[in-house]
Amino acid sequence: QKQLVQSGGGLVQPGGSLRLSCKASGFALDEHTLGWFRQVPGQEREGVSCKSNMDGKSFYAESVEGRFTISNDSAENIFYLEMNSLKPEDTAVYYCAADYWAFCSPVFQVRDYEYWGQGTQVTVSS
């Protein structure tokens, strides 16, 4: 059984920080491209960040670059999204994802990822 289970969402004030976690079971994250996505109701799911297992390089959407960081802990089979300087525009349901074949580049798509977490709400508000 291959699963991704998320945690760490919640309510945070503008300018604050939050860390999202995504724990894998049934497969090894270090053999997969890792991704974070977010979705606002009524809108398409969009890529936030990805990390390659081939060269370790990470990419970020322009809207979050410099504020968010993707990282992973191979021993614990977990990866994270550190979010800093949060803005109300960051409010969304955040999803983690992984794929064995996907490439991580400045352009990455929802359709490239096979395994998905359940999503967690992040609300940035005063």
mmCIF file of all heavy atoms in Angstrom, residues 16-65:
data_model
loop_
_atom_site.group_PDB
_atom_site.id
_atom_site.type_symbol
_atom_site.label_atom_id
_atom_site.label_comp_id
_atom_site.label_asym_id
_atom_site.label_seq_id
_atom_site.Cartn_x
_atom_site.Cartn_y
_atom_site.Cartn_z
ATOM 1 N N GLY A 16 3.691 35.280 9.091
ATOM 2 C CA GLY A 16 4.070 34.151 9.909
ATOM 3 C C GLY A 16 4.650 33.010 9.105
ATOM 4 O O GLY A 16 4.811 33.097 7.887
ATOM 5 N N SER A 17 4.953 31.917 9.806
ATOM 6 C CA SER A 17 5.575 30.752 9.200
ATOM 7 C C SER A 17 4.818 29.487 9.551
ATOM 8 O O SER A 17 4.136 29.415 10.579
ATOM 9 C CB SER A 17 7.026 30.611 9.667
ATOM 10 O OG SER A 17 7.813 31.732 9.296
ATOM 11 N N LEU A 18 4.961 28.497 8.694
ATOM 12 C CA LEU A 18 4.310 27.213 8.900
ATOM 13 C C LEU A 18 5.125 26.150 8.179
ATOM 14 O O LEU A 18 5.709 26.424 7.122
ATOM 15 C CB LEU A 18 2.888 27.256 8.343
ATOM 16 C CG LEU A 18 1.846 26.277 8.887
ATOM 17 C CD1 LEU A 18 1.607 26.518 10.373
ATOM 18 C CD2 LEU A 18 0.540 26.445 8.119
ATOM 19 N N ARG A 19 5.172 24.942 8.736
ATOM 20 C CA ARG A 19 5.836 23.830 8.079
ATOM 21 C C ARG A 19 4.851 22.708 7.825
ATOM 22 O O ARG A 19 4.205 22.214 8.756
ATOM 23 C CB ARG A 19 7.008 23.301 8.918
ATOM 24 C CG ARG A 19 7.795 22.191 8.202
ATOM 25 C CD ARG A 19 8.986 21.698 8.997
ATOM 26 N NE ARG A 19 8.589 20.899 10.142
ATOM 27 C CZ ARG A 19 9.427 20.192 10.886
ATOM 28 N NH1 ARG A 19 10.731 20.194 10.607
ATOM 29 N NH2 ARG A 19 8.978 19.497 11.927
ATOM 30 N N LEU A 20 4.745 22.315 6.574
ATOM 31 C CA LEU A 20 3.917 21.185 6.187
ATOM 32 C C LEU A 20 4.779 19.941 6.063
ATOM 33 O O LEU A 20 5.908 20.010 5.585
ATOM 34 C CB LEU A 20 3.220 21.452 4.859
ATOM 35 C CG LEU A 20 2.378 22.725 4.768
ATOM 36 C CD1 LEU A 20 1.723 22.797 3.393
ATOM 37 C CD2 LEU A 20 1.337 22.773 5.872
ATOM 38 N N SER A 21 4.233 18.805 6.477
ATOM 39 C CA SER A 21 4.946 17.538 6.410
ATOM 40 C C SER A 21 4.183 16.552 5.538
ATOM 41 O O SER A 21 2.955 16.583 5.475
ATOM 42 C CB SER A 21 5.119 16.936 7.802
ATOM 43 O OG SER A 21 5.866 17.791 8.643
ATOM 44 N N CYS A 22 4.931 15.668 4.899
ATOM 45 C CA CYS A 22 4.343 14.631 4.061
ATOM 46 C C CYS A 22 5.133 13.353 4.281
ATOM 47 O O CYS A 22 6.305 13.264 3.892
ATOM 48 C CB CYS A 22 4.387 15.055 2.590
ATOM 49 S SG CYS A 22 3.597 13.902 1.457
ATOM 50 N N LYS A 23 4.511 12.371 4.916
ATOM 51 C CA LYS A 23 5.180 11.115 5.223
ATOM 52 C C LYS A 23 4.721 10.025 4.272
ATOM 53 O O LYS A 23 3.518 9.809 4.097
ATOM 54 C CB LYS A 23 4.904 10.690 6.659
ATOM 55 C CG LYS A 23 5.642 9.413 7.053
ATOM 56 C CD LYS A 23 5.497 9.103 8.524
ATOM 57 C CE LYS A 23 6.185 7.795 8.894
ATOM 58 N NZ LYS A 23 7.634 7.841 8.597
ATOM 59 N N ALA A 24 5.678 9.326 3.683
ATOM 60 C CA ALA A 24 5.379 8.258 2.742
ATOM 61 C C ALA A 24 5.445 6.895 3.426
ATOM 62 O O ALA A 24 6.251 6.672 4.331
ATOM 63 C CB ALA A 24 6.356 8.283 1.577
ATOM 64 N N SER A 25 4.601 6.000 2.977
ATOM 65 C CA SER A 25 4.662 4.605 3.395
ATOM 66 C C SER A 25 4.457 3.724 2.174
ATOM 67 O O SER A 25 3.714 4.078 1.260
ATOM 68 C CB SER A 25 3.621 4.295 4.476
ATOM 69 O OG SER A 25 2.306 4.543 4.005
ATOM 70 N N GLY A 26 5.133 2.592 2.156
ATOM 71 C CA GLY A 26 5.004 1.666 1.049
ATOM 72 C C GLY A 26 5.932 1.925 -0.123
ATOM 73 O O GLY A 26 5.961 1.123 -1.064
ATOM 74 N N PHE A 27 6.678 3.025 -0.092
ATOM 75 C CA PHE A 27 7.668 3.318 -1.126
ATOM 76 C C PHE A 27 8.673 4.318 -0.581
ATOM 77 O O PHE A 27 8.409 5.002 0.410
ATOM 78 C CB PHE A 27 7.014 3.829 -2.416
ATOM 79 C CG PHE A 27 6.368 5.181 -2.298
ATOM 80 C CD1 PHE A 27 7.018 6.308 -2.774
ATOM 81 C CD2 PHE A 27 5.117 5.328 -1.736
ATOM 82 C CE1 PHE A 27 6.427 7.558 -2.693
ATOM 83 C CE2 PHE A 27 4.510 6.566 -1.641
ATOM 84 C CZ PHE A 27 5.171 7.688 -2.127
ATOM 85 N N ALA A 28 9.814 4.414 -1.246
ATOM 86 C CA ALA A 28 10.906 5.270 -0.802
ATOM 87 C C ALA A 28 10.877 6.600 -1.539
ATOM 88 O O ALA A 28 10.997 6.639 -2.769
ATOM 89 C CB ALA A 28 12.246 4.575 -1.018
ATOM 90 N N LEU A 29 10.760 7.669 -0.787
ATOM 91 C CA LEU A 29 10.725 8.998 -1.390
ATOM 92 C C LEU A 29 12.012 9.335 -2.134
ATOM 93 O O LEU A 29 11.973 10.098 -3.108
ATOM 94 C CB LEU A 29 10.461 10.061 -0.330
ATOM 95 C CG LEU A 29 9.048 10.120 0.240
ATOM 96 C CD1 LEU A 29 8.994 11.123 1.386
ATOM 97 C CD2 LEU A 29 8.041 10.486 -0.843
ATOM 98 N N ASP A 30 13.144 8.814 -1.682
ATOM 99 C CA ASP A 30 14.403 9.160 -2.325
ATOM 100 C C ASP A 30 14.558 8.562 -3.721
ATOM 101 O O ASP A 30 15.559 8.838 -4.397
ATOM 102 C CB ASP A 30 15.603 8.798 -1.446
ATOM 103 C CG ASP A 30 15.714 7.318 -1.131
ATOM 104 O OD1 ASP A 30 14.973 6.515 -1.721
ATOM 105 O OD2 ASP A 30 16.560 6.965 -0.277
ATOM 106 N N GLU A 31 13.588 7.786 -4.162
ATOM 107 C CA GLU A 31 13.557 7.276 -5.523
ATOM 108 C C GLU A 31 12.529 8.013 -6.384
ATOM 109 O O GLU A 31 12.265 7.605 -7.520
ATOM 110 C CB GLU A 31 13.246 5.775 -5.525
ATOM 111 C CG GLU A 31 14.307 4.937 -4.830
ATOM 112 C CD GLU A 31 13.961 3.463 -4.820
ATOM 113 O OE1 GLU A 31 12.831 3.096 -5.175
ATOM 114 O OE2 GLU A 31 14.853 2.668 -4.452
ATOM 115 N N HIS A 32 11.977 9.090 -5.856
ATOM 116 C CA HIS A 32 10.893 9.803 -6.532
ATOM 117 C C HIS A 32 11.149 11.301 -6.594
ATOM 118 O O HIS A 32 11.831 11.869 -5.739
ATOM 119 C CB HIS A 32 9.573 9.560 -5.794
ATOM 120 C CG HIS A 32 9.066 8.160 -5.878
ATOM 121 N ND1 HIS A 32 9.681 7.115 -5.218
ATOM 122 C CD2 HIS A 32 8.013 7.633 -6.550
ATOM 123 C CE1 HIS A 32 9.029 6.001 -5.470
ATOM 124 N NE2 HIS A 32 8.005 6.286 -6.282
ATOM 125 N N THR A 33 10.596 11.913 -7.613
ATOM 126 C CA THR A 33 10.502 13.357 -7.654
ATOM 127 C C THR A 33 9.410 13.791 -6.678
ATOM 128 O O THR A 33 8.333 13.190 -6.634
ATOM 129 C CB THR A 33 10.165 13.848 -9.064
ATOM 130 O OG1 THR A 33 11.229 13.471 -9.948
ATOM 131 C CG2 THR A 33 9.996 15.361 -9.099
ATOM 132 N N LEU A 34 9.691 14.825 -5.896
ATOM 133 C CA LEU A 34 8.777 15.299 -4.866
ATOM 134 C C LEU A 34 8.144 16.618 -5.295
ATOM 135 O O LEU A 34 8.802 17.450 -5.922
ATOM 136 C CB LEU A 34 9.516 15.502 -3.548
ATOM 137 C CG LEU A 34 10.419 14.353 -3.099
ATOM 138 C CD1 LEU A 34 11.157 14.727 -1.828
ATOM 139 C CD2 LEU A 34 9.602 13.083 -2.900
ATOM 140 N N GLY A 35 6.890 16.807 -4.935
ATOM 141 C CA GLY A 35 6.210 18.034 -5.315
ATOM 142 C C GLY A 35 5.233 18.520 -4.265
ATOM 143 O O GLY A 35 4.674 17.734 -3.500
ATOM 144 N N TRP A 36 5.057 19.826 -4.218
ATOM 145 C CA TRP A 36 4.012 20.462 -3.433
ATOM 146 C C TRP A 36 3.130 21.276 -4.371
ATOM 147 O O TRP A 36 3.630 21.994 -5.244
ATOM 148 C CB TRP A 36 4.584 21.374 -2.352
ATOM 149 C CG TRP A 36 5.176 20.638 -1.189
ATOM 150 C CD1 TRP A 36 6.484 20.342 -0.975
ATOM 151 C CD2 TRP A 36 4.456 20.107 -0.064
ATOM 152 N NE1 TRP A 36 6.637 19.656 0.209
ATOM 153 C CE2 TRP A 36 5.408 19.501 0.789
ATOM 154 C CE3 TRP A 36 3.111 20.087 0.309
ATOM 155 C CZ2 TRP A 36 5.051 18.882 1.985
ATOM 156 C CZ3 TRP A 36 2.762 19.469 1.497
ATOM 157 C CH2 TRP A 36 3.727 18.878 2.321
ATOM 158 N N PHE A 37 1.834 21.159 -4.169
ATOM 159 C CA PHE A 37 0.840 21.863 -4.970
ATOM 160 C C PHE A 37 -0.156 22.535 -4.038
ATOM 161 O O PHE A 37 -0.256 22.188 -2.866
ATOM 162 C CB PHE A 37 0.111 20.888 -5.896
ATOM 163 C CG PHE A 37 1.000 20.203 -6.895
ATOM 164 C CD1 PHE A 37 1.781 19.119 -6.526
ATOM 165 C CD2 PHE A 37 1.049 20.644 -8.206
ATOM 166 C CE1 PHE A 37 2.605 18.484 -7.440
ATOM 167 C CE2 PHE A 37 1.863 20.013 -9.134
ATOM 168 C CZ PHE A 37 2.644 18.937 -8.750
ATOM 169 N N ARG A 38 -0.911 23.481 -4.567
ATOM 170 C CA ARG A 38 -1.978 24.088 -3.776
ATOM 171 C C ARG A 38 -3.173 24.383 -4.663
ATOM 172 O O ARG A 38 -3.047 24.555 -5.877
ATOM 173 C CB ARG A 38 -1.503 25.345 -3.058
ATOM 174 C CG ARG A 38 -1.114 26.506 -3.960
ATOM 175 C CD ARG A 38 -0.511 27.623 -3.123
ATOM 176 N NE ARG A 38 -0.165 28.788 -3.919
ATOM 177 C CZ ARG A 38 0.483 29.846 -3.455
ATOM 178 N NH1 ARG A 38 0.869 29.884 -2.182
ATOM 179 N NH2 ARG A 38 0.752 30.868 -4.258
ATOM 180 N N GLN A 39 -4.348 24.455 -4.021
ATOM 181 C CA GLN A 39 -5.578 24.650 -4.767
ATOM 182 C C GLN A 39 -6.572 25.475 -3.957
ATOM 183 O O GLN A 39 -6.818 25.193 -2.786
ATOM 184 C CB GLN A 39 -6.198 23.304 -5.137
ATOM 185 C CG GLN A 39 -7.405 23.388 -6.044
ATOM 186 C CD GLN A 39 -7.833 22.027 -6.544
ATOM 187 O OE1 GLN A 39 -7.604 21.013 -5.887
ATOM 188 N NE2 GLN A 39 -8.447 21.991 -7.716
ATOM 189 N N VAL A 40 -7.127 26.474 -4.605
ATOM 190 C CA VAL A 40 -8.216 27.272 -4.053
ATOM 191 C C VAL A 40 -9.510 26.739 -4.657
ATOM 192 O O VAL A 40 -9.540 26.426 -5.854
ATOM 193 C CB VAL A 40 -8.031 28.758 -4.386
ATOM 194 C CG1 VAL A 40 -9.224 29.577 -3.903
ATOM 195 C CG2 VAL A 40 -6.746 29.280 -3.778
ATOM 196 N N PRO A 41 -10.586 26.613 -3.868
ATOM 197 C CA PRO A 41 -11.843 26.106 -4.426
ATOM 198 C C PRO A 41 -12.255 26.847 -5.690
ATOM 199 O O PRO A 41 -12.222 28.080 -5.734
ATOM 200 C CB PRO A 41 -12.849 26.341 -3.294
ATOM 201 C CG PRO A 41 -12.022 26.240 -2.055
ATOM 202 C CD PRO A 41 -10.698 26.864 -2.422
ATOM 203 N N GLY A 42 -12.626 26.086 -6.716
ATOM 204 C CA GLY A 42 -13.035 26.664 -7.981
ATOM 205 C C GLY A 42 -11.899 26.959 -8.935
ATOM 206 O O GLY A 42 -12.153 27.387 -10.066
ATOM 207 N N GLN A 43 -10.658 26.743 -8.506
ATOM 208 C CA GLN A 43 -9.496 26.991 -9.344
ATOM 209 C C GLN A 43 -8.712 25.709 -9.574
ATOM 210 O O GLN A 43 -8.891 24.720 -8.863
ATOM 211 C CB GLN A 43 -8.591 28.049 -8.722
ATOM 212 C CG GLN A 43 -9.254 29.393 -8.511
ATOM 213 C CD GLN A 43 -8.300 30.433 -7.949
ATOM 214 O OE1 GLN A 43 -7.078 30.250 -7.974
ATOM 215 N NE2 GLN A 43 -8.848 31.515 -7.441
ATOM 216 N N GLU A 44 -7.848 25.739 -10.575
ATOM 217 C CA GLU A 44 -7.002 24.587 -10.857
ATOM 218 C C GLU A 44 -5.915 24.441 -9.810
ATOM 219 O O GLU A 44 -5.450 25.428 -9.230
ATOM 220 C CB GLU A 44 -6.360 24.722 -12.242
ATOM 221 C CG GLU A 44 -7.344 24.654 -13.393
ATOM 222 C CD GLU A 44 -6.648 24.651 -14.739
ATOM 223 O OE1 GLU A 44 -5.439 24.949 -14.791
ATOM 224 O OE2 GLU A 44 -7.309 24.342 -15.740
ATOM 225 N N ARG A 45 -5.516 23.202 -9.569
ATOM 226 C CA ARG A 45 -4.393 22.941 -8.688
ATOM 227 C C ARG A 45 -3.105 23.410 -9.367
ATOM 228 O O ARG A 45 -2.874 23.138 -10.547
ATOM 229 C CB ARG A 45 -4.321 21.448 -8.379
ATOM 230 C CG ARG A 45 -3.400 21.079 -7.242
ATOM 231 C CD ARG A 45 -3.602 19.613 -6.832
ATOM 232 N NE ARG A 45 -4.961 19.355 -6.393
ATOM 233 C CZ ARG A 45 -5.392 18.171 -5.964
ATOM 234 N NH1 ARG A 45 -4.559 17.141 -5.910
ATOM 235 N NH2 ARG A 45 -6.658 18.022 -5.595
ATOM 236 N N GLU A 46 -2.265 24.131 -8.622
ATOM 237 C CA GLU A 46 -1.059 24.691 -9.197
ATOM 238 C C GLU A 46 0.187 24.196 -8.467
ATOM 239 O O GLU A 46 0.162 23.937 -7.263
ATOM 240 C CB GLU A 46 -1.097 26.215 -9.170
ATOM 241 C CG GLU A 46 -1.129 26.812 -7.776
ATOM 242 C CD GLU A 46 -1.054 28.326 -7.771
ATOM 243 O OE1 GLU A 46 -0.858 28.927 -8.846
ATOM 244 O OE2 GLU A 46 -1.198 28.923 -6.681
ATOM 245 N N GLY A 47 1.273 24.091 -9.204
ATOM 246 C CA GLY A 47 2.535 23.678 -8.618
ATOM 247 C C GLY A 47 3.142 24.779 -7.774
ATOM 248 O O GLY A 47 3.143 25.951 -8.162
ATOM 249 N N VAL A 48 3.669 24.412 -6.624
ATOM 250 C CA VAL A 48 4.320 25.333 -5.706
ATOM 251 C C VAL A 48 5.830 25.118 -5.696
ATOM 252 O O VAL A 48 6.610 26.063 -5.792
ATOM 253 C CB VAL A 48 3.763 25.184 -4.279
ATOM 254 C CG1 VAL A 48 4.537 26.051 -3.289
ATOM 255 C CG2 VAL A 48 2.281 25.540 -4.249
ATOM 256 N N SER A 49 6.233 23.853 -5.575
ATOM 257 C CA SER A 49 7.644 23.517 -5.499
ATOM 258 C C SER A 49 7.844 22.061 -5.869
ATOM 259 O O SER A 49 6.949 21.238 -5.685
ATOM 260 C CB SER A 49 8.178 23.774 -4.085
ATOM 261 O OG SER A 49 9.551 23.452 -3.982
ATOM 262 N N CYS A 50 9.025 21.734 -6.376
ATOM 263 C CA CYS A 50 9.389 20.339 -6.606
ATOM 264 C C CYS A 50 10.864 20.151 -6.303
ATOM 265 O O CYS A 50 11.638 21.110 -6.270
ATOM 266 C CB CYS A 50 9.061 19.882 -8.034
ATOM 267 S SG CYS A 50 9.963 20.716 -9.353
ATOM 268 N N LYS A 51 11.234 18.896 -6.068
ATOM 269 C CA LYS A 51 12.628 18.548 -5.807
ATOM 270 C C LYS A 51 12.963 17.260 -6.529
ATOM 271 O O LYS A 51 12.236 16.270 -6.419
ATOM 272 C CB LYS A 51 12.886 18.397 -4.308
ATOM 273 C CG LYS A 51 14.354 18.144 -3.977
ATOM 274 C CD LYS A 51 14.594 18.085 -2.482
ATOM 275 C CE LYS A 51 16.074 17.888 -2.172
ATOM 276 N NZ LYS A 51 16.326 17.818 -0.724
ATOM 277 N N SER A 52 14.088 17.272 -7.246
ATOM 278 C CA SER A 52 14.528 16.117 -7.998
ATOM 279 C C SER A 52 15.322 15.157 -7.126
ATOM 280 O O SER A 52 16.175 15.575 -6.335
ATOM 281 C CB SER A 52 15.396 16.567 -9.179
ATOM 282 O OG SER A 52 15.975 15.453 -9.825
ATOM 283 N N ASN A 53 15.054 13.856 -7.289
ATOM 284 C CA ASN A 53 15.860 12.849 -6.605
ATOM 285 C C ASN A 53 17.132 12.521 -7.373
ATOM 286 O O ASN A 53 18.020 11.855 -6.843
ATOM 287 C CB ASN A 53 15.040 11.566 -6.390
ATOM 288 C CG ASN A 53 14.651 10.895 -7.691
ATOM 289 O OD1 ASN A 53 13.929 11.464 -8.510
ATOM 290 N ND2 ASN A 53 15.125 9.673 -7.888
ATOM 291 N N MET A 54 17.236 12.992 -8.612
ATOM 292 C CA MET A 54 18.388 12.701 -9.445
ATOM 293 C C MET A 54 19.574 13.605 -9.124
ATOM 294 O O MET A 54 20.696 13.133 -8.966
ATOM 295 C CB MET A 54 18.017 12.843 -10.923
ATOM 296 C CG MET A 54 16.943 11.872 -11.378
ATOM 297 S SD MET A 54 17.455 10.141 -11.183
ATOM 298 C CE MET A 54 18.807 10.057 -12.358
ATOM 299 N N ASP A 55 19.324 14.907 -9.023
ATOM 300 C CA ASP A 55 20.405 15.851 -8.760
ATOM 301 C C ASP A 55 20.165 16.714 -7.530
ATOM 302 O O ASP A 55 21.012 17.549 -7.190
ATOM 303 C CB ASP A 55 20.671 16.737 -9.976
ATOM 304 C CG ASP A 55 19.457 17.498 -10.450
ATOM 305 O OD1 ASP A 55 18.472 17.597 -9.690
ATOM 306 O OD2 ASP A 55 19.487 18.007 -11.582
ATOM 307 N N GLY A 56 19.024 16.530 -6.869
ATOM 308 C CA GLY A 56 18.720 17.272 -5.661
ATOM 309 C C GLY A 56 18.268 18.698 -5.878
ATOM 310 O O GLY A 56 18.021 19.418 -4.908
ATOM 311 N N LYS A 57 18.150 19.119 -7.130
ATOM 312 C CA LYS A 57 17.751 20.488 -7.411
ATOM 313 C C LYS A 57 16.276 20.710 -7.118
ATOM 314 O O LYS A 57 15.446 19.825 -7.316
ATOM 315 C CB LYS A 57 18.043 20.843 -8.872
ATOM 316 C CG LYS A 57 19.529 20.961 -9.179
ATOM 317 C CD LYS A 57 19.755 21.434 -10.599
ATOM 318 C CE LYS A 57 21.232 21.633 -10.884
ATOM 319 N NZ LYS A 57 21.466 22.100 -12.270
ATOM 320 N N SER A 58 15.970 21.911 -6.664
ATOM 321 C CA SER A 58 14.611 22.301 -6.346
ATOM 322 C C SER A 58 14.184 23.499 -7.179
ATOM 323 O O SER A 58 15.018 24.334 -7.545
ATOM 324 C CB SER A 58 14.483 22.659 -4.862
ATOM 325 O OG SER A 58 14.846 21.572 -4.043
ATOM 326 N N PHE A 59 12.893 23.586 -7.455
ATOM 327 C CA PHE A 59 12.335 24.709 -8.184
ATOM 328 C C PHE A 59 11.093 25.203 -7.466
ATOM 329 O O PHE A 59 10.415 24.445 -6.770
ATOM 330 C CB PHE A 59 12.013 24.328 -9.632
ATOM 331 C CG PHE A 59 13.229 24.003 -10.438
ATOM 332 C CD1 PHE A 59 13.675 22.697 -10.530
ATOM 333 C CD2 PHE A 59 13.926 25.003 -11.086
ATOM 334 C CE1 PHE A 59 14.809 22.389 -11.266
ATOM 335 C CE2 PHE A 59 15.059 24.707 -11.821
ATOM 336 C CZ PHE A 59 15.505 23.398 -11.911
ATOM 337 N N TYR A 60 10.798 26.486 -7.661
ATOM 338 C CA TYR A 60 9.687 27.117 -6.978
ATOM 339 C C TYR A 60 8.884 27.977 -7.931
ATOM 340 O O TYR A 60 9.432 28.587 -8.856
ATOM 341 C CB TYR A 60 10.196 27.992 -5.829
ATOM 342 C CG TYR A 60 10.965 27.224 -4.790
ATOM 343 C CD1 TYR A 60 12.341 27.044 -4.905
ATOM 344 C CD2 TYR A 60 10.314 26.666 -3.700
ATOM 345 C CE1 TYR A 60 13.044 26.321 -3.958
ATOM 346 C CE2 TYR A 60 11.010 25.947 -2.744
ATOM 347 C CZ TYR A 60 12.373 25.775 -2.881
ATOM 348 O OH TYR A 60 13.075 25.056 -1.938
ATOM 349 N N ALA A 61 7.579 28.021 -7.685
ATOM 350 C CA ALA A 61 6.746 28.969 -8.402
ATOM 351 C C ALA A 61 7.192 30.383 -8.066
ATOM 352 O O ALA A 61 7.631 30.661 -6.940
ATOM 353 C CB ALA A 61 5.284 28.773 -8.035
ATOM 354 N N GLU A 62 7.092 31.278 -9.034
ATOM 355 C CA GLU A 62 7.523 32.656 -8.830
ATOM 356 C C GLU A 62 6.830 33.293 -7.627
ATOM 357 O O GLU A 62 7.437 34.090 -6.909
ATOM 358 C CB GLU A 62 7.249 33.478 -10.094
ATOM 359 C CG GLU A 62 7.739 34.906 -10.018
ATOM 360 C CD GLU A 62 7.514 35.656 -11.307
ATOM 361 O OE1 GLU A 62 7.220 35.014 -12.330
ATOM 362 O OE2 GLU A 62 7.640 36.894 -11.303
ATOM 363 N N SER A 63 5.585 32.916 -7.388
ATOM 364 C CA SER A 63 4.814 33.513 -6.315
ATOM 365 C C SER A 63 5.334 33.169 -4.921
ATOM 366 O O SER A 63 5.022 33.873 -3.960
ATOM 367 C CB SER A 63 3.344 33.097 -6.428
ATOM 368 O OG SER A 63 3.211 31.687 -6.363
ATOM 369 N N VAL A 64 6.124 32.086 -4.806
ATOM 370 C CA VAL A 64 6.601 31.657 -3.489
ATOM 371 C C VAL A 64 8.114 31.644 -3.373
ATOM 372 O O VAL A 64 8.640 31.487 -2.259
ATOM 373 C CB VAL A 64 6.057 30.259 -3.111
ATOM 374 C CG1 VAL A 64 4.545 30.217 -3.250
ATOM 375 C CG2 VAL A 64 6.711 29.167 -3.953
ATOM 376 N N GLU A 65 8.832 31.813 -4.465
ATOM 377 C CA GLU A 65 10.290 31.744 -4.441
ATOM 378 C C GLU A 65 10.863 32.781 -3.479
ATOM 379 O O GLU A 65 10.465 33.940 -3.481
ATOM 380 C CB GLU A 65 10.860 31.943 -5.840
ATOM 381 C CG GLU A 65 12.344 31.636 -5.933
ATOM 382 C CD GLU A 65 12.821 31.469 -7.361
ATOM 383 O OE1 GLU A 65 12.107 31.930 -8.281
ATOM 384 O OE2 GLU A 65 13.890 30.875 -7.561
#
